[in-house]
Amino acid sequence: MEPRIIEECRKAMYDAVWLEIERDPQRPAVARVDIKTKAGDICVWCDRTGNTAVVSHKNNNNDSERLEEAIEGCVNYQDVMDDWLEENSQYADQDPMDAFEESRLDSLMAQLV
């Protein structure tokens, strides 16, 4: 297993999740990371429900599944959200999901009027 590849994926995933949270703290989207390596390509999708990694090796490599599992477990979306909230203290007292629900409710109420 390549710890360097896993660390590169971890950093890229963390940054991608951070950017999605930064873009819209109330409704962060799924973050996607594409990494090219000598052995093949890695694509990872990160969201609140977990991470999904797809490793496509140029040659048929039986370690793909183990590498995918290692990559999928290296970043937790909620941990990144907690770090972001800590750094952006104006949002710290507010759960992003609560704010999302309130804004959605306000929007629905406006449509009814």
Side-chain angles (χ1 to χ4, degrees):
M1 188 90 46
E2 282 288 331
R4 184 179 45 81
I5 291 173
I6 294 170
E7 182 59 22
E8 182 180 342
C9 287
R10 189 197 66 73
K11 287 178 184 175
M13 290 164 63
Y14 188 96
D15 291 344
V17 170
W18 185 280
L19 288 173
E20 286 303 325
I21 295 168
E22 186 85 356
R23 187 182 60 75
D24 188 353
Q26 306 305 324
R27 293 177 296 213
V30 174
R32 179 179 169 166
V33 177
D34 293 303
I35 298 171
K36 300 212 178 282
T37 68
K38 291 178 184 176
D41 300 332
I42 301 169
C43 185
V44 187
W45 292 268
C46 312
D47 67 9
R48 288 180 177 270
T49 61
N51 304 319
T52 303
V54 176
V55 177
S56 56
H57 284 283
K58 291 179 181 172
N59 52 11
N60 195 2
N61 188 335
N62 294 331
D63 289 336
S64 292
E65 191 171 321
R66 287 195 313 229
L67 182 57
E68 287 171 358
E69 289 172 3
I71 292 168
E72 288 172 356
C74 70
V75 170
N76 182 307
Y77 202 98
Q78 188 60 48
D79 291 343
V80 180
M81 174 69 84
D82 292 343
D83 291 348
W84 187 89
L85 288 171
E86 186 176 314
E87 187 169 304
N88 296 277
S89 60
Q90 73 267 25
Y91 295 99
D93 296 332
Q94 177 181 10
D95 181 351
M97 292 313 291
D98 289 344
F100 169 70
E101 294 302 325
E102 289 172 17
S103 66
R104 182 172 166 91
L105 181 59
D106 290 344
S107 171
L108 292 172
M109 292 300 285
Q111 290 175 6
L112 291 173
V113 174

